[in-house]
Amino acid sequence: MSARIDYVVTTGTFNHDGETHEVDNNVWIVGDENEVVIIDAAHDADEILAAVDDRRVKAIICTHAHDDHINVAEDLAKVTDALVMLHPADEELWRNLYPDDDFEPLFDGEVVEVAGVDLHILHTPGHTPGGVCVYAPELDAVFTGDTLFRGGPGATGRSLSDFPTIIDSITERLLELPPETIVHTGHGDSTSIGQEAPDLDEWLKRGH
């Protein structure tokens, strides 16, 4: 059967720079009836596993290492025997939660295949140093984590983030994608490249 995109919304907390916030996270599941890749491992391993059902998990891709995107990564890895994949520039953030557990390094240009679909890794720093987006051209979709949302870039007012860098990532890596590409975000509603691209100047005026 052909690949499809499923998702669940999980609820928990985001803890960073001494602050704690309640958040809802989108957890994306890409695959077919036999195998899947999980994009981000947020808050509730049981809920994610219920959505996976009895399908094999080939990998757990982390778009970045803020704790609300990785806080059940190791739980899922133990149950599914799947590799947790993360860009190494986010190791400092990873170690805050997992001082003794390693991950599989994930690099710009890498391709992860699942259910006959290629997932292309785009390094998009700015929200964090190791932020990545996952582009699936065959599905007309990109999974942006906290790099791009409906209405603009992800937050850059915290440590290890940078507004000019995230703008460069969005303009050079994401806005170059076809306008019909659906943007599946880490929080909130999906959007599209074509819907967001005209607002770049407004984002620049607004700043982080």
Side-chain angles (χ1 to χ4, degrees):
M1 297 185 68
S2 58
R4 68 177 194 266
I5 300 169
D6 301 315
Y7 81 106
V8 295
V9 178
T10 59
T11 300
T13 59
F14 166 50
N15 306 278
H16 191 58
D17 290 346
E19 299 180 356
T20 298
H21 303 276
E22 294 286 334
V23 288
D24 293 331
N25 285 62
N26 297 327
V27 178
W28 299 97
I29 300 167
V30 182
D32 59 13
E33 294 302 312
N34 299 311
E35 62 182 22
V36 300
V37 164
I38 297 170
I39 300 175
D40 287 337
H43 308 309
D44 192 329
D46 289 339
E47 189 170 355
I48 297 168
L49 289 169
V52 169
D53 199 14
D54 60 354
R55 295 176 288 176
R56 181 171 72 97
V57 178
K58 289 193 68 175
I60 301 162
I61 297 176
C62 304
T63 60
H64 62 291
H66 280 153
D67 69 346
D68 60 319
H69 291 255
I70 65 168
N71 54 17
V72 296
E74 287 301 315
D75 290 340
L76 287 172
K78 289 173 184 175
V79 172
T80 64
D81 200 31
L83 292 174
V84 178
M85 308 182 78
L86 175 73
H87 194 284
D90 267 8
E91 181 166 6
E92 178 181 345
L93 289 166
W94 172 268
R95 293 294 170 205
N96 289 336
L97 194 62
Y98 299 113
D100 301 316
D101 293 316
D102 291 325
F103 56 84
E104 181 74 11
L106 185 67
F107 296 102
D108 183 64
E110 192 165 341
V111 177
V112 179
E113 188 275 334
V114 62
V117 169
D118 289 338
L119 305 179
H120 299 257
I121 304 304
L122 310 177
H123 183 211
T124 53
H127 183 67
T128 68
V132 302
C133 295
V134 182
Y135 177 43
E138 292 127 316
L139 300 176
D140 292 323
V142 62
F143 304 89
T144 57
D146 289 2
T147 295
L148 178 63
F149 294 106
R150 173 176 285 189
T156 53
R158 300 185 176 97
S159 63
L160 301 178
S161 66
D162 184 73
F163 181 70
T165 301
I166 203 171
I167 289 294
D168 287 345
S169 292
I170 292 170
T171 56
E172 295 172 8
R173 307 308 302 275
L174 298 182
L175 298 189
E176 294 297 316
L177 300 178
E180 65 271 18
T181 304
I182 301 300
V183 176
H184 294 302
T185 62
H187 309 271
D189 295 332
S190 296
T191 180
S192 71
I193 295 298
Q195 183 173 335
E196 299 307 317
D199 296 330
L200 176 60
D201 288 342
E202 177 187 328
W203 305 339
L204 291 170
K205 292 175 183 176
R206 188 173 70 202
H208 68 80

